[in-house]
Amino acid sequence: MVLDLLRKKKPSKEDEQERRRTADILDLAMGQRSKVHIQFDEKDTNLTGVTATVMGVNDAAVLLELGGVAGLKDRFLGKSLTCFFRVVEREDRHREIFYNFTSQILRIRQQPDRPPQVAVSFPAALNGAQRRKSLRMKPDFSQFSHIALWKYDASGFDIAKPTVGTVHFKNGLASIDNISGGGLRFRLRRAHLKETGLEPKKGDRFILFFTFHEQVPKLRNEYWLVAKVNNIQPEPVSGDLALGLEYVANGVRQPESGKVDWSKIQDNVIDDMAQRIYLWHVALYRDRGLS
């Protein structure tokens, strides 16, 4: 059926060149045994930690052998997934280039004593690092050298008195569930909510400030952000509160004046934040011996 659809419309020269480029990159990933990190759609499953290796590529599909999962049920057929991977261009100063693509599962093959394999539709496009908004991970708090959040108030805020500061994370009164290039989800304990009288609502805004222990070439080490609350999930037993935030403004502090210049976030993602998180993700799997 997929091949029939491909035959119905003759691809343009540009489309054919793009498909050839995509196939070449996937062939390179297969030859380098690049580890593919897979993320399923949240609405379909909460399954995480799944990786894959590219086993084959043709005009209609990409064959992936899965790791981190014993098998997939048939209910995953037709479901969407996003694949993140890295290739090395050895001919160009050993550059590492990160890609991702979103596709659908066409077939699932379960084999005795072998990892499961899935055939996914040939990707319409490969996206570069700037499109990795959807990659989320739970960071280790030690990766931050400082973190603070202030409840946004049009009249201003006291920089010395964050609503949630580094000390609250260290004391276990706050934690980050996950972070991405487009937002984060953090959790506040009941004790801190009671102490501050904080009653966040959907649409509220927070000012965020991050710095990191690790200096990464070409990536900022300081972030000023404005984020809005997209969802709130109270824990009925503990009284804790989980807040899902989406970045809406990006700030850069000017070295001369110390003032922060704000700009609207384009394409709903902060490129260099997404790059840093992807590097964290790759390092995590490398430390576990999976890369």
Side-chain angles (χ1 to χ4, degrees), residues 7 13 44-45 55 81 86 94 137 183 212 217-218 238:
R7 293 190 188 105
K13 183 178 179 180
D44 295 328
T45 180
M55 303 299 291
L81 51 74
R86 171 186 64 167
H94 204 79
M137 69 171 293
F212 302 98
K218 298 183 180 180
S238 65

Side-chain angles (χ1 to χ4, degrees), residues 41-199:
D41 196 313
E42 277 187 326
K43 70 178 185 297
D44 295 328
T45 180
N46 59 3
L47 185 63
T48 59
V50 179
T51 60
T53 303
V54 179
M55 303 299 291
V57 182
N58 64 28
D59 289 341
V62 179
L63 182 64
L64 301 174
E65 186 170 88
L66 303 184
V69 62
L72 287 184
K73 296 182 179 179
D74 286 346
R75 69 179 183 85
F76 281 91
L77 286 169
K79 299 300 185 184
S80 176
L81 51 74
T82 302
C83 299
F84 304 85
F85 66 96
R86 171 186 64 167
V87 296
V88 178
E89 285 191 347
R90 290 186 171 87
E91 294 179 0
D92 188 7
R93 296 175 298 174
H94 204 79
R95 286 197 311 163
E96 293 183 346
I97 304 179
F98 301 93
Y99 294 100
N100 75 75
F101 64 88
T102 299
S103 188
Q104 288 74 44
I105 297 177
L106 303 175
R107 294 183 300 279
I108 299 173
R109 180 190 296 172
Q110 315 279 5
Q111 303 176 87
D113 303 321
R114 288 288 306 275
Q117 293 184 345
V118 296
V120 302
S121 55
F122 189 89
L126 289 182
N127 301 310
Q130 71 275 14
R131 301 295 181 186
R132 289 196 309 276
K133 175 189 174 184
S134 60
L135 179 60
R136 298 176 301 276
M137 69 171 293
K138 182 176 179 61
D140 190 318
F141 181 69
S142 65
Q143 291 166 311
F144 297 90
S145 54
H146 194 83
I147 181 170
L149 300 90
W150 295 263
K151 176 73 180 302
Y152 181 81
D153 189 326
S155 62
F157 65 97
D158 186 345
I159 196 169
K161 296 180 179 179
T163 308
V164 187
T166 303
V167 65
H168 300 118
F169 287 93
K170 287 183 176 179
N171 292 341
L173 293 172
S175 61
I176 297 179
D177 286 348
N178 60 63
I179 187 169
S180 75
L184 64 86
R185 176 185 171 91
F186 77 103
R187 191 174 301 272
L188 295 175
R189 306 298 179 222
R190 179 183 178 185
H192 188 61
L193 291 167
K194 186 175 181 180
E195 180 184 347
T196 59
L198 185 63
E199 297 180 350

